[in-house]
Amino acid sequence: MGAGDRDMCPYGGSVAVDTSTRPVGRGGRRRPRLAAVTGRVSFVGAGPGAADLITLRGARRIAEADVVVWAASLVMEECVRDHARPDAELVDSSRIAHEEVLALYARAARESLRVARVHSGDPSLWGAVQEQYDAAAALGLDVEIVPGVSAFGAAAAAAGRELTIPEVAQSVVLTRLEGGKTPMPERERIAAFARHGTTMAIFLSAARTGQLVAQLRAGGYPDDTPAVVAYRTSWPDELTVACRLDELEAVCKERRLWRQTLFLVGPALAASGTRSHLYHAGHFHTFRKPERAARAALRAARAEREAR
């Protein structure tokens, strides 16, 4: 057998046997070096929209792909066409059903194709990825998820806001309004999350802003709670509006924002930045020792705060 000969794989399909450089095993016998011949599906997070917000790894997976599956309505065309090979097969997933996508994965398994399944934002959030991942793995395909920039991070960047301000908010709740196409667990309600009083990033809820505002109020957010309305962040027609909770519904209706709109809500969106202890001269960590006087001042400030 020479390099590139093929043997049957015990799990089905075949493997390439490289006999040109077989390492010597015990007893002087040479062991074949096996390289699995299989297809691959990479679920790629394309980011919020702009073509240059995709990760380097994501762009590389698109460039390597024989087939690129992407939703043209959610992922900017340049994000795919700037990286895909000229001979790559491009499939607009917004025009086909889930079963047709699974049939494409089955073909990738038969023909050892590399598929880039491109999702908007980050695939781990509302991407319908898990059912596809499991199906591709069951077909014997190599499967991976390439993370992407989520819309909530892009919206915060566009608004020039940090979502976790010390002593104001140190948590971010990612959620959506109940009552849409996908059922919500009973324990997951906007009002219940709002009772935490921290920053919330609310997806897939722009068509029912009146209900959203009512739920946020029911959870305890006052009318003057700062909010950000972010429409198609990083796209050419993006819109970012800072407003109060009691203005949120009107902002959306006046601008006819029914879809592709994300909301940020919480007191951190209007809070001033505070001194971070991480970079305080009195704070120490593995790479830096504290200044003695600054350390004493930091401890005194902490004790005073805890005594209030």
Side-chain angles (χ1 to χ4, degrees):
M1 293 174 63
D5 289 340
R6 304 171 82 85
D7 284 347
M8 293 305 299
C9 174
Y11 301 104
S14 61
V15 294
V17 182
D18 182 356
T19 58
S20 60
T21 55
R22 292 184 173 183
V24 179
R26 292 180 180 179
R29 298 180 62 186
R30 293 185 178 273
R31 298 189 299 268
R33 179 175 296 160
L34 301 180
V37 176
T38 184
R40 181 183 72 196
V41 176
S42 301
F43 295 98
V44 177
D52 58 355
L53 283 179
I54 192 171
T55 66
L56 293 173
R57 182 180 298 181
R60 188 162 61 246
R61 290 296 182 266
I62 293 174
E64 294 167 349
D66 302 298
V67 182
V68 181
V69 184
W70 60 298
S73 60
L74 298 174
V75 177
M76 197 174 292
E77 183 177 0
E78 290 81 358
C79 189
V80 171
R81 298 195 182 277
D82 286 358
H83 304 294
R85 300 190 330 238
D87 62 336
E89 179 183 348
L90 304 184
V91 179
D92 182 357
S93 63
S94 65
R95 299 179 181 275
I96 61 177
H98 175 67
E99 288 72 20
E100 294 173 87
V101 176
L102 296 185
L104 192 153
Y105 296 159
R107 177 160 69 89
R110 292 193 306 270
E111 302 176 15
S112 298
L113 301 176
R114 291 166 295 184
V115 178
R117 176 64 170 96
V118 183
H119 286 261
S120 61
D122 182 88
S124 67
L125 298 173
W126 296 284
V129 164
Q130 197 62 57
E131 57 184 323
Q132 297 181 72
Y133 186 104
D134 294 344
L139 288 166
L141 290 159
D142 286 338
V143 192
E144 66 171 344
I145 297 177
V146 180
V149 176
S150 178
F152 80 91
R161 300 303 311 179
E162 180 181 351
L163 303 181
T164 53
I165 301 294
E167 301 181 42
V168 177
Q170 287 292 284
S171 304
V172 180
V173 177
L174 309 180
T175 189
R176 53 176 285 267
L177 185 63
E178 60 270 15
K181 296 177 181 178
T182 303
M184 291 281 285
E186 185 62 34
R187 65 186 179 277
E188 296 183 18
R189 293 290 182 265
I190 290 287
F193 288 133
R195 292 189 182 100
H196 293 285
T198 190
T199 307
M200 295 181 67
I202 306 168
F203 295 70
L204 306 170
S205 305
R208 294 169 291 136
T209 50
Q211 182 184 349
L212 174 62
V213 170
Q215 287 286 307
L216 290 169
R217 283 173 171 153
Y221 281 121
D223 281 349
D224 62 353
T225 301
V228 170
V229 178
Y231 169 75
R232 286 170 59 91
T233 302
S234 83
W235 288 70
D237 58 345
E238 73 171 354
L239 177 67
T240 306
V241 180
C243 63
R244 295 167 26 131
L245 178 60
D246 58 0
E247 299 168 333
L248 188 147
E249 183 178 7
V251 166
C252 291
K253 288 185 175 180
E254 289 170 5
R255 293 165 175 80
R256 304 180 66 81
L257 305 179
W258 315 123
R259 57 190 300 271
Q260 291 183 268
T261 302
L262 179 143
F263 305 105
L264 302 175
V265 182
L269 298 173
S272 299
T274 60
R275 178 65 185 273
S276 170
H277 287 182
L278 179 62
Y279 298 104
H280 194 287
H283 180 75
F284 69 93
H285 52 67
T286 305
F287 303 100
R288 189 184 72 223
K289 294 181 178 180
E291 296 178 7
R292 183 171 300 179
R295 181 67 176 168
L298 188 60
R299 284 178 171 174
R302 184 178 301 163
E304 180 182 351
R305 185 171 60 253
E306 292 174 351
R308 294 174 187 167

